């Protein structure tokens, strides 16, 4: 608050990321492709066998230069749900998370 009673606020947001492609890859892996988000510092790819991401949840952090990530050591015959979000760091070194994308699912058969 300055001496005139005005509060200066900077609203920093991150756009919502989106999974554009999700496919089963040979070797019990899944490949996730997502759309690039401007001003993102990185991405978090979350995957789980639970549709609601309440249990058995794993997170893979990816830098901002990549738009594709491979998830390893998955179980054959299981269905995995995947979602992604972008994050950035504001002027005060606080992390600002975007909202999670819609989840997509893939069945591991290879």
């Amino acid at each position: 608050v300055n001496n005139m009673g005005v509060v200066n606020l900077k609203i920093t947001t991150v756009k919502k990321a989106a999974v554009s492609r999700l496919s089963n890859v040979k070797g019990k892996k899944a490949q996730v492709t997502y759309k690039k988000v401007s001003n993102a510092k990185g991405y978090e790819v979350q995957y789980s066998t639970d549709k609601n991401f309440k249990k058995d949840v794993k997170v893979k952090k990816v830098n901002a230069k990549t738009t594709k990530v491979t998830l390893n050591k998955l179980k054959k015959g299981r269905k995995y749900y995947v979602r992604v979000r972008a994050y950035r760091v504001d002027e005060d070194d606080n992390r600002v998370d975007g909202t999670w994308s819609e989840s997509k699912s893939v069945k591991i058969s290879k």
Side-chain angles (χ1 to χ4, degrees), residues 7 13 28 37-38 40 43 57 62 64 66 71 98 110:
V7 178
T13 58
K28 294 185 253 179
V37 174
S38 61
Y43 300 93
V57 179
V62 190
T66 349
L71 308 175
K110 295 180 186 175

Side-chain angles (χ1 to χ4, degrees), residues 86-103:
Y87 67 87
R88 63 184 293 274
V89 178
D90 66 11
E91 304 82 41
D92 303 323
D93 280 343
N94 295 321
R95 188 173 137 159
V96 180
D97 291 328
T99 54
W100 287 109
S101 69
E102 305 299 316
S103 66

Side-chain angles (χ1 to χ4, degrees), residues 8 11 13 21 28 31-32 49 51 59 62 65 75 78-81 93 97 110:
N8 294 324
I11 299 170
T13 58
R21 192 158 175 244
K28 294 185 253 179
Q31 190 166 58
V32 186
T49 52
K51 185 178 184 175
V59 176
V62 190
K65 293 179 180 80
K75 292 190 172 94
R78 299 293 295 272
K79 189 175 198 176
Y80 285 86
Y81 298 90
D93 280 343
D97 291 328
K110 295 180 186 175

Side-chain angles (χ1 to χ4, degrees), residues 7-85:
V7 178
N8 294 324
L9 292 176
K10 278 196 174 182
I11 299 170
T12 55
T13 58
V14 184
K15 285 188 176 169
K16 188 174 178 176
V19 176
S20 54
R21 192 158 175 244
L22 178 60
S23 57
N24 184 203
V25 185
K26 189 176 179 177
K28 294 185 253 179
K29 298 176 187 173
Q31 190 166 58
V32 186
T33 309
Y34 47 89
K35 292 187 168 74
K36 201 171 187 77
V37 174
S38 61
N39 82 357
K41 178 115 169 58
Y43 300 93
E44 280 186 334
V45 178
Q46 197 178 59
Y47 58 105
S48 173
T49 52
D50 178 30
K51 185 178 184 175
N52 299 314
F53 294 90
K54 298 284 186 221
K55 56 182 190 272
D56 193 29
V57 179
K58 292 188 172 79
V59 176
K60 194 160 189 170
K61 289 190 179 181
V62 190
N63 70 23
K65 293 179 180 80
T66 349
T67 57
K68 193 186 286 186
V69 65
T70 304
L71 308 175
N72 302 312
K73 298 179 185 169
L74 304 177
K75 292 190 172 94
K76 200 170 186 173
R78 299 293 295 272
K79 189 175 198 176
Y80 285 86
Y81 298 90
V82 180
R83 62 185 182 177
V84 65
R85 76 174 170 190

